[in-house]
Amino acid sequence: MNAFTLGAFTWMVVLALGGAGCATVDKPPVSQAPVAEVPAAADTRLEEAQRAFEASQKLRAERKWAEARAEAERSLKLREEVLGPTHPRVADSLRQLGETVWPTDAAAAEPLYLRALAIQEAAYGPQAPELVPQLKSLHSVYVNLGLYSRAEHVIQRALTLQEATLGKEHPEVASSLRFLGQVYFSQGLYSQAEPLYQRAYDIWEASLGKEHPELASALNDLGIVYLNQGAYARAEAAFERARALAEAGLGPQHHMVAHSLQNLARAYLKQRQYARAEPLQERALAIQEANFGKRHPLVAQALDQLATLHARQGRYAQAEALYQRALTMVEELAGKNHLVVSHVLVNLARLHRNQGHYAQAEPALERALAIREAVSPGLGFTMDSLRELGLLRVAQGRRDEARELFEQAFARAEARLRQEALTFSEERMASFLELVRGDEERLYAFARASPGDARVHRLALAAALLLKGRSAEELAHTSRAIYRDLGPGDRDTFMRLRELRTRYAELALAGAGKQEPARHQRQLQELADQAEALQTELIEHSAPLRALSALPSPAQIVDRVAQALPSDSALVEFVAYEDRPLVPRPGTLEEQLPSELRFLALVLLADGRVSVIDLGPAAPIHQAVERLRKALVRRTATWQSASRELYRLAFKPLLPVLGKARRLSLSTDGQLSLVPFAALHDGQRFLAEAFHLGYHTSGKELLPRPERSKSASTVIVVADPDFDSAPAALASAERSAALETFFSTRSPELISRPWAPLPGTRQEALAIQHLLPQARLLLGAEASKQALLRLPTPGILHVATHGFFLDDTTAAPGTRAVGQFGAVADPGPRNLPPNPLLRSGLVLAGAREASSEAAHVKDSLATALELSSMNLWGTQLVVLSACDTGQGEVKLGQGVYGLRRALRVAGAQTVVMSLWKVNDETTRELMVDYYRRLLAGEGRAAALAEAMRSLRARHAHPYYWAPFVAIGVDSPLEGLAP
């Protein structure tokens, strides 16, 4: 089932059951309004009206709509005759009649409900709780008709009345919260639905208890939100608990058990775990048919999902039969123009397209799109239809039409992402971006297959500009809002978050020690949950401010970035993506589709021209990267051939489209993020001699971002930490045992001499202070983790120490690397923390209050996770004069997860970092020259390039002069004077 159409069936289930599956709660108190006296002679007719009323209720429960309607009409007529047309009991009969009408004709039910509401408002007043059931009935009609703004209005009114009468923690309030959440969910607005669902769940749990079966409905609501956001583990956990609660409290054949089973099957289906999904789906269908018969919305839903399971496994005939049966059923039950009908049509059309039956797929997709545009032109539903119709047009050779459809689909997908991103934590954002990655990659595949189509190329570049590095971009916006725009309360919350991240980092790196591993994992999870809760709170508070600084639209982004480029420059967006055929061979299963990781280079010139260059399969490029990195790190002579090979593969194809551009902004991807392009060689000269090179996570970083306050002016230099600053040295045996407990690896070199002194860093710090007398130096014991994390925002932050990325092996003598922490392509330590921001960081002076060597070690490591919580908004430049500070875990499309990401999220405008283990002495030379050039007014990247050029004259091997890159803003520093 598609991610964007789950809401339709979910709502159909709720409506068809008349609210079944919602928590059973007490009725609101009834206001005492005057009721007209009834003559005794009329009692007989009123008793007859009451019997008809009760008979209608019974028949409606049996889904005998015609008979139920006849009894409701009889009850209404008798009460009108006796009591008059405006009596409250007449309103009850009107509502009863509406409930018998709307399942087959929702539009006809609306005037009945509106008249009943008017009667009650006249009798009880506009703020009376008696209005709530009527408002909820209207809400159901509007949702069924796709009139979501009306549905939102009436259920919001009901919620306000209930909160005023019952209090905000009453179970009936939770019911209205759930209904309001489903209004948003049905439109694909999951980030707005989730907090309402969560609040409803919390209220029910507090009032009913943690094991009450009615909690299953709330858990299913939350689980479906998680599923649509790509958070599969969370979804599975919610569905499994819902199933257990329903089965224990309601019995194994209850429809809520089936609902939970079906949702759990849906989660497995999303992850292509068909063998796990199918028995659950079959059991769910059997339960629903046993409870409701062969013709029921719940049965139609189960049939549709079982059909999808068959289709994914190549059982096309079985799938088509089930889809047709489901389609016929929902057309009869909901009408031919209901959103649920469009959902089944899309699934059926996809089945036809996958078999090559394009003529059958086309009318189904066109009809589905027409329904969705008419009923709900919002983000989720139509986006799915536009994409599917676009893929069909590609298969039919109608590429111009396909492009227009893909443009519309991407615009709506981006709008949805902007809504969702405003409330996402880092973990949720990563999951969501992974969920939509397939659609992004289709655009790159379409661009590769459309060499002469400038509009397709612009569309692909727009996708790259908006989506590459998006996770870090959103987190940075949150950080900025917290430090620059929000009040002291939010900053206090952020300080608590920083403390939690430090505790989490220290506990994760320290390992389980003598305690049970399971207990250690529980402690980590508790800290992680607390941190995410605080992060979510801060994100919600900052959302309105971040929305004001939204990125340009997909239609505008390319031109806006082009305008930011100097006339002699070009942007090169490298994209690594899984290339799959847009038109598979008929009958090919999704798992059988050929797939290959490829590189594209998307080139944007200052005049707005866009070119797409297919660089070919990624494997040869990654192999060339690996060869070059090995040669550079090991200082071998083979670097020249490796450099030329990578130049030939990754850069030479760009030359025909670069024209006269000599300033290149490079936004790399994949393993290309781990090599300095300056060291590429064309056989005659280095690339750094032909071009001025700047680096960015994404080309959108070129867009001007106005600062609300001036950059900070202080200069802080942290260097030459005292690695033996613990209060007392432990005995050798104790020291070794403590370190063995701390580190997951067992390196004798690391245990005996973990961090060698770095005298060159002290000389480097003193030389910088000579150039910038205002610089404050933190040396020796003062160069501590605590001092770094508590710094007020500096203008320039220079850190010269050991750096690490926990991924590789022994460091060479004389480098600023930690032994066992960071070489190329060698087996690395095992049992590493899964979070790459914990495996990357800086080594600083030990904490003086440390009571053991292990504590001394962990209190010396400033991880990227902790550094990401610094306040660097106003910091123009961070220089990490250490080893491997540019290393990290490469995530396609989202950059390198390590120090470079952490410091950019924290607010640093430009970060200078290393791509391998740097030499202590030559790094000092490079950095001193770099600051001289910055003082002379050169740009932040340009000054580094010139310092590298100067060092190359004395040390020819790129190992010495090429390890550093400057990522971010290239303009000269402001307010820098000796």
Side-chain angles (χ1 to χ4, degrees):
M1 187 169 291
N2 187 271
F4 306 116
T5 55
L6 295 174
F9 256 142
T10 300
W11 257 109
M12 187 172 182
V13 170
V14 173
L15 298 177
L17 295 178
C22 303
T24 302
V25 293
D26 297 331
K27 297 294 182 184
V30 178
S31 301
Q32 297 300 315
V35 177
E37 292 292 330
V38 179
D43 286 352
T44 302
R45 283 184 293 167
L46 289 180
E47 289 174 2
E48 184 181 353
Q50 183 63 27
R51 287 194 295 270
F53 187 92
E54 293 171 357
S56 179
Q57 284 183 315
K58 182 179 178 182
L59 291 165
R60 184 166 58 87
E62 297 171 354
R63 302 184 60 78
K64 297 179 179 179
W65 304 119
E67 296 94 324
R69 180 172 182 171
E71 291 295 329
E73 288 174 340
R74 190 159 68 93
S75 173
L76 173 63
K77 182 181 178 182
L78 289 168
R79 285 179 173 175
E80 283 181 320
E81 289 175 355
V82 177
L83 303 173
T86 61
H87 194 280
R89 290 187 187 176
V90 172
D92 292 341
S93 290
L94 284 165
R95 179 167 175 250
Q96 171 83 302
L97 179 57
E99 288 172 348
T100 67
V101 169
W102 77 256
T104 55
D105 189 358
E110 183 190 12
L112 298 171
Y113 288 145
L114 286 173
R115 183 185 162 200
L117 179 63
I119 292 172
Q120 290 179 319
E121 285 178 324
Y124 303 125
Q127 304 300 320
E130 285 83 359
L131 307 184
V132 169
Q134 207 63 56
L135 291 167
K136 286 186 175 181
S137 295
L138 268 173
H139 153 268
S140 298
V141 167
Y142 291 142
V143 168
N144 201 40
L145 294 172
L147 302 174
Y148 296 118
S149 60
R150 296 188 191 181
E152 180 182 2
H153 172 74
V154 295
I155 198 61
Q156 184 66 65
R157 184 181 172 193
L159 177 62
T160 301
L161 291 177
Q162 288 178 311
E163 286 181 331
T165 306
L166 305 172
K168 293 189 175 183
E169 304 303 318
H170 193 278
E172 190 68 26
V173 169
S175 175
S176 292
L177 287 167
R178 183 184 183 225
F179 288 161
L180 181 59
Q182 289 188 337
V183 172
Y184 295 131
F185 180 88
S186 295
Q187 300 172 83
L189 304 177
Y190 307 124
S191 60
Q192 292 175 251
E194 183 184 356
L196 298 168
Y197 286 159
Q198 186 63 59
R199 186 180 159 201
Y201 174 82
D202 292 341
I203 293 172
W204 279 328
E205 185 182 59
S207 60
L208 301 174
K210 293 186 176 183
E211 303 303 319
H212 199 284
E214 296 288 5
L215 291 178
S217 59
L219 285 165
N220 277 310
D221 288 340
L222 284 167
I224 294 176
V225 168
Y226 300 149
L227 193 63
N228 280 274
Q229 294 173 341
Y232 298 130
R234 288 186 178 208
E236 284 183 38
F239 295 147
E240 182 54 49
R241 181 155 183 254
R243 181 206 58 78
L245 289 175
E247 198 156 359
L250 303 172
Q253 297 303 308
H254 194 273
H255 72 81
M256 187 53 65
V257 174
H259 187 46
S260 302
L261 288 169
Q262 193 159 302
N263 284 334
L264 191 56
R266 185 178 297 156
Y268 293 141
L269 174 63
K270 285 277 189 181
Q271 300 170 80
R272 303 180 185 177
Q273 298 178 26
Y274 306 134
R276 300 180 72 182
E278 191 162 351
L280 299 178
Q281 187 60 47
E282 289 176 341
R283 182 185 165 198
L285 174 60
I287 293 173
Q288 304 295 40
E289 288 184 330
N291 278 304
F292 302 108
K294 300 286 186 179
R295 186 177 172 276
H296 191 275
L298 285 169
V299 174
Q301 181 187 25
L303 289 170
D304 176 84
Q305 192 163 309
L306 184 57
T308 300
L309 268 168
H310 287 317
R312 293 283 184 86
Q313 297 173 83
R315 305 169 191 158
Y316 299 128
Q318 292 169 271
E320 183 171 1
L322 292 175
Y323 280 140
Q324 290 289 1
R325 182 180 163 196
L327 179 62
T328 300
M329 194 179 302
V330 295
E331 284 180 330
E332 291 176 356
L333 295 173
K336 292 183 178 294
N337 294 314
H338 196 281
L339 280 174
V340 178
V341 173
S342 73
H343 166 77
V344 183
L345 285 169
V346 169
N347 281 345
L348 185 59
R350 188 182 292 118
L351 177 72
H352 290 317
R353 178 172 59 80
N354 289 344
Q355 297 176 85
H357 302 159
Y358 304 144
Q360 292 174 268
E362 184 172 9
L365 281 176
E366 290 177 340
R367 181 183 165 199
L369 179 59
I371 291 172
R372 291 173 173 184
E373 290 283 16
V375 175
S376 178
L379 309 178
F381 301 116
T382 52
M383 180 171 58
D384 175 43
S385 293
L386 290 165
R387 181 187 62 245
E388 288 298 322
L389 191 53
L391 290 171
L392 179 64
R393 294 296 183 239
V394 173
Q396 294 171 320
R398 297 154 67 177
R399 302 184 73 85
D400 288 345
E401 295 176 57
R403 181 196 61 229
E404 293 179 1
L405 291 163
F406 288 150
E407 286 173 343
Q408 295 177 53
F410 178 63
R412 300 192 190 198
E414 174 62 22
R416 181 196 173 200
L417 175 56
R418 294 184 190 203
Q419 290 176 329
E420 297 288 291
L422 292 177
T423 60
F424 274 159
S425 67
E426 182 172 11
E427 177 191 352
R428 299 285 290 279
M429 173 61 76
S431 297
F432 187 82
L433 289 171
E434 184 63 28
L435 179 68
V436 301
R437 176 71 175 169
D439 287 338
E440 178 188 355
E441 291 181 325
R442 284 190 190 95
L443 295 181
Y444 300 145
F446 191 42
R448 184 175 82 87
S450 307
D453 195 325
R455 281 182 59 182
V456 172
H457 294 177
R458 288 177 66 85
L459 176 60
L461 179 56
L465 288 170
L466 288 170
L467 296 175
K468 278 184 70 180
R470 187 63 169 272
S471 176
E473 174 97 2
E474 296 295 343
L475 288 174
H477 285 334
T478 300
S479 171
R480 186 182 189 281
I482 290 165
Y483 282 121
R484 289 292 182 89
D485 300 300
L486 298 183
D490 287 305
R491 284 193 285 274
D492 290 344
T493 302
F494 197 67
M495 292 303 105
R496 300 206 314 272
L497 176 60
R498 289 177 61 173
E499 293 170 3
L500 279 172
R501 285 174 170 170
T502 295
R503 288 167 55 195
Y504 180 83
E506 292 176 348
L507 183 63
L509 288 173
K514 294 182 180 180
Q515 67 177 333
E516 294 181 1
R519 184 170 182 271
H520 180 250
Q521 288 301 315
R522 284 197 300 271
Q523 291 174 337
L524 285 174
Q525 189 59 53
E526 288 173 3
L527 288 174
D529 291 344
Q530 292 173 37
E532 183 168 9
L534 288 179
Q535 187 183 29
T536 300
E537 177 184 341
L538 291 167
I539 285 171
E540 289 174 352
H541 289 184
S542 68
L545 294 169
R546 290 186 292 118
L548 297 176
S549 59
L551 290 164
S553 69
Q556 299 171 332
I557 184 71
V558 173
D559 289 335
R560 292 280 294 278
V561 172
Q563 292 166 11
L565 288 169
S567 59
D568 63 341
S569 66
L571 166 68
V572 182
E573 284 280 0
F574 290 97
V575 170
Y577 74 105
E578 286 290 338
D579 186 78
R580 297 177 177 85
L582 292 171
V583 185
R585 293 175 55 189
T588 304
L589 300 181
E590 190 172 337
E591 291 75 13
Q592 297 172 341
L593 287 176
S595 173
E596 182 180 46
L597 189 66
R598 299 183 72 92
F599 268 104
L600 288 182
L602 312 175
V603 179
L604 174 65
L605 300 181
D607 61 8
R609 283 180 292 166
V610 177
S611 300
V612 174
I613 297 93
D614 179 20
L615 298 178
I621 293 176
H622 283 168
Q623 290 167 7
V625 168
E626 186 75 359
R627 282 188 60 220
L628 179 57
R629 279 182 47 77
K630 280 185 179 180
L632 294 178
V633 170
R634 296 170 182 175
R635 285 167 279 185
T636 65
T638 59
W639 71 267
Q640 295 186 25
S641 62
S643 176
R644 291 171 187 170
E645 177 66 6
L646 187 56
Y647 173 88
R648 182 185 68 82
L649 292 171
F651 193 83
K652 186 178 180 180
L654 312 184
L655 293 176
V657 302
L658 290 177
K660 297 181 180 180
R662 287 298 173 263
R663 298 166 58 88
L664 302 184
S665 295
L666 304 177
S667 171
T668 56
D669 201 358
Q671 299 300 312
L672 286 176
S673 300
L674 302 179
V675 290
F677 273 66
L680 300 190
H681 204 282
D682 66 1
Q684 301 295 323
R685 58 181 177 173
F686 288 104
L687 200 60
E689 297 177 72
F691 296 93
H692 168 76
L693 304 176
Y695 295 88
H696 302 274
T697 303
S698 163
K700 61 179 169 286
E701 293 177 353
L702 295 169
L703 295 172
R705 298 294 175 92
E707 294 288 336
R708 295 189 181 179
S709 61
K710 293 183 178 180
S711 298
S713 59
T714 56
V715 179
I716 305 294
V717 180
V718 181
D720 192 23
D722 183 357
F723 301 126
D724 294 317
S725 59
L730 299 177
S732 177
E734 293 177 278
R735 187 169 189 265
S736 297
L739 286 172
E740 283 228 14
T741 299
F742 175 68
F743 287 104
S744 59
T745 55
R746 305 293 190 262
S747 167
E749 179 184 353
L750 180 61
I751 294 171
S752 62
R753 190 170 71 93
W755 305 305
L758 296 171
T761 65
R762 180 176 288 263
Q763 298 172 25
E764 186 177 306
L766 294 172
I768 293 172
Q769 190 180 50
H770 178 74
L771 294 170
L772 296 167
Q774 74 270 33
R776 176 190 170 196
L777 305 188
L778 298 177
L779 307 174
E782 291 185 336
S784 68
K785 169 181 171 179
Q786 291 76 13
L788 176 63
L789 294 180
R790 294 171 185 169
L791 282 176
T793 304
I796 297 175
L797 174 61
H798 185 100
V799 184
T801 183
H802 287 298
F804 67 87
F805 173 58
L806 295 173
D807 196 34
D808 30 10
T809 62
T810 309
T815 68
R816 298 182 183 182
V818 176
Q820 196 73 17
F821 282 17
V824 179
D826 292 316
R830 291 171 294 180
N831 302 319
L832 296 175
N835 187 341
L837 298 185
L838 288 177
R839 305 202 306 269
S840 181
L842 301 169
V843 184
L844 298 162
R848 289 189 175 278
E849 66 272 16
S851 58
S852 70
E853 187 73 9
H856 168 49
V857 170
K858 68 182 178 63
D859 288 346
S860 301
L861 303 182
T863 65
L865 180 66
E866 296 165 276
L867 294 171
S868 69
S869 295
M870 294 181 69
N871 179 7
L872 299 180
W873 292 99
T875 298
Q876 298 183 69
L877 177 66
V878 174
V879 178
L880 299 180
S881 183
C883 292
D884 294 317
T885 51
Q887 294 293 307
E889 183 175 305
V890 176
K891 297 193 176 184
L892 297 184
Q894 296 306 315
V896 179
Y897 278 56
L899 284 169
R900 64 168 76 182
R901 173 187 172 87
L903 294 169
R904 294 286 284 160
V905 166
Q909 295 176 12
T910 306
V911 181
V912 173
M913 59 194 64
S914 63
L915 296 174
W916 57 78
K917 295 171 178 51
V918 299
N919 178 271
D920 190 26
E921 177 58 28
T922 55
T923 296
R924 182 188 63 80
E925 295 179 41
L926 178 71
M927 290 301 165
V928 172
D929 192 16
Y930 180 46
Y931 279 95
R932 285 198 190 102
R933 295 178 184 279
L934 288 173
L935 275 168
E938 295 183 22
R940 284 165 251 191
L944 181 62
E946 290 304 313
M948 290 163 58
R949 185 194 303 271
S950 176
L951 186 62
R952 189 171 74 240
R954 301 187 298 278
H955 302 277
H957 198 290
Y959 164 80
Y960 296 102
W961 60 263
F964 287 94
V965 294
I967 298 179
V969 177
D970 183 27
S971 60
L973 295 173
E974 299 175 3
L976 183 62

